[in-house]
Amino acid sequence: MEPEPVLENPGTRVFAVCDCTNGEKKDSQNNTPWHPPRSVLLVNKLRTEPIIKAIDDLLLHIQKLYPDVKIYAEDRPDIPDGVQVWRPGQNSAPVDLVITLGGDGTILHAASLFSHGAVPPVLSFSMGTLGFLLPFHIDDYAKGLKAVFDGKATILHRMRLSCSFYDQDGKKIGSDEDAWQVMNEIALHRGSSPHLNTIDIYVDGQHLTESVSDGLIVSTPTGSTAYSLSAGGPIVHPSLSAVLLVPICPRSLSFRPLVFPSSSSITLRIGDKSRAAAGVSVDGRTVQVLNPGESVTVHASPYPVPCINRSSIVDIASSSTGDEQDDSPLRSEGSEGVGPGKEDDWVRDINNLLQYNATFRSKALLRYSRSGNGS
């Protein structure tokens, strides 16, 4: 399925990636000639000693190999030396590339900084943590940056959700600019209340059902391996455009998770007779409390998150040796990933992180091989 159309934010320039079908380099949004990133936003978690060293090495590398690139960081006390301050908003300085150092939460935070328009491509480096959104380890920063600056990076557009809140009279709470852009999920929950929530669910204006439960989750395919998965939701490939509706501990044996097309609009209204208000959490942050009669409407955002894949560095490895591009979905033994332009991170992650379909025997064998006793 083709990714959702991207609307361009005048304050954000998004560089292009290589079109792997014909080798042309065009801007992924407006089909203009490609140019390397001219500005980079660095987003990192708290600066522990490993983070400080990684940032210093990364900045030194960029300044040495790409001296004309402007480097920005958020306005916070631990901003690195020689980096310009960047503040989010409609008038923010243009950013061509976002580099994150940390875990999945760091990527969610980086995406939230661009809540009013397009998100620049995100190059994510893991600092030893595990996560579904972390295709690169920090040791590979030189290869990852080379793929980007050479225009050979491959991108997966991960859809986001937009949500707006309404009062008992159906009037929007706040302005259109207050709409939240969500990468994982919106969750309605009873919080500390001992009572279940009563929530009416509407899909495209049509009443679907009344939910009596601990709450509801509306998730993206990216979020299908987060809170939604713990609540019994399906695992959905992140390249799909879909909206997941998952109940949290429903008072019903027949309320099962549903998957809707991305064109659907889902409204969750707290029932007038509900004995509990509902807290609203967006990507793990509580942002609103809805009382009986109030509601939230969720639909697909026009601004997905372009995430750079690990398969990008496979292209560099093959081209540097002069070998022809391998179009086979299976690589030779010892090579990581599949051919450039093919998104393999998800398959690797559900096996490595989730131990997908692993039996008790295979788990035991895995532990045995990790202990170093295996062949």
Side-chain angles (χ1 to χ4, degrees):
M1 182 177 294
E2 292 296 323
E4 288 291 304
V6 182
L7 302 183
E8 187 173 7
N9 177 0
T12 303
R13 296 193 308 270
V14 180
F15 71 96
V17 294
C18 179
D19 182 347
C20 295
T21 59
N22 55 24
E24 292 182 356
K25 296 178 183 179
K26 295 287 187 178
D27 188 287
S28 59
Q29 294 193 29
N30 54 27
N31 206 35
T32 58
W34 172 85
H35 63 79
R38 292 173 285 198
S39 56
V40 170
L41 174 63
L42 185 65
V43 180
N44 60 276
K45 62 181 183 180
L46 295 178
R47 297 192 70 191
T48 59
E49 186 173 342
I51 290 281
I52 293 174
K53 183 181 185 305
I55 291 176
D56 291 342
D57 292 344
L58 184 65
L59 292 179
L60 183 62
H61 180 81
I62 294 176
Q63 291 164 353
K64 181 179 179 180
L65 270 67
Y66 316 104
D68 297 330
V69 174
K70 291 184 179 179
I71 305 176
Y72 297 103
E74 292 182 82
D75 188 7
R76 43 190 274 185
D78 59 355
I79 186 171
D81 294 334
V83 174
Q84 300 182 47
V85 173
W86 185 89
R87 297 180 178 87
Q90 296 283 11
N91 299 319
S92 61
V95 172
D96 291 336
L97 174 69
V98 177
I99 298 177
T100 68
L101 289 84
D104 282 353
T106 307
I107 302 174
L108 295 177
H109 172 67
S112 72
L113 298 175
F114 300 88
S115 59
H116 301 295
V119 184
V122 179
L123 179 61
S124 305
F125 293 109
S126 164
M127 293 299 302
T129 55
L130 296 177
F132 277 90
L133 305 178
L134 299 169
F136 297 93
H137 189 271
I138 189 59
D139 292 343
D140 290 328
Y141 71 83
K143 295 179 181 178
L145 287 170
K146 180 173 175 56
V148 171
F149 281 88
D150 287 352
K152 296 180 179 179
T154 59
I155 279 182
L156 172 65
H157 290 271
R158 294 178 179 267
M159 71 171 288
R160 290 197 293 179
L161 297 174
S162 178
C163 64
S164 301
F165 302 101
Y166 297 86
D167 63 18
Q168 297 177 355
D169 298 324
K171 295 181 179 179
K172 181 178 289 188
I173 300 174
S175 64
D176 291 338
E177 294 182 357
D178 296 326
W180 286 83
Q181 303 290 315
V182 184
M183 190 172 179
N184 267 358
E185 77 280 308
I186 297 111
L188 272 67
H189 51 85
R190 63 188 178 102
S192 61
S193 172
H195 304 294
L196 300 179
N197 282 132
T198 301
I199 304 173
D200 286 305
I201 305 172
Y202 298 84
V203 179
D204 295 329
Q206 183 177 0
H207 187 261
L208 174 67
T209 189
E210 178 187 77
S211 166
V212 180
S213 62
D214 278 356
L216 293 167
I217 299 170
V218 182
S219 170
T220 65
T222 294
S224 70
T225 50
Y227 190 9
S228 171
L229 182 64
S230 298
I235 301 174
V236 181
H237 195 284
S239 66
L240 296 178
S241 294
V243 181
L244 287 64
L245 177 66
V246 181
I248 306 172
C249 299
R251 196 181 66 182
S252 168
L253 294 178
S254 59
F255 192 173
R256 291 293 178 258
L258 296 171
V259 180
F260 297 97
S262 59
S263 59
S264 298
S265 175
I266 299 177
T267 297
L268 308 179
R269 182 181 181 275
I270 311 303
D272 294 328
K273 297 181 180 180
S274 181
R275 300 176 64 187
V280 182
S281 296
V282 171
D283 284 346
R285 296 169 294 166
T286 300
V287 299
Q288 189 84 13
V289 174
L290 295 179
N291 294 305
E294 298 178 335
S295 63
V296 58
T297 296
V298 183
H299 56 82
S301 168
Y303 307 114
V305 181
C307 295
I308 296 174
N309 297 322
R310 182 169 180 81
S311 56
S312 301
I313 69 173
V314 179
D315 188 21
I316 292 178
S318 61
S319 62
S320 62
T321 59
D323 297 337
E324 293 183 0
Q325 178 175 320
D326 181 10
D327 292 328
S328 170
L330 299 178
R331 304 288 288 174
S332 61
E333 185 176 359
S335 62
E336 186 168 3
V338 296
K342 301 179 177 64
E343 199 283 310
D344 66 319
D345 301 331
W346 180 80
V347 174
R348 180 195 64 197
D349 286 344
I350 64 169
N351 281 285
N352 292 348
L353 299 181
L354 290 185
Q355 296 297 305
Y356 179 71
N357 197 33
T359 63
F360 292 115
R361 180 174 179 273
S362 61
K363 287 181 180 179
L365 289 175
L366 181 65
R367 288 195 297 269
Y368 180 73
S369 64
R370 283 178 176 173
S371 67
N373 297 323
S375 57

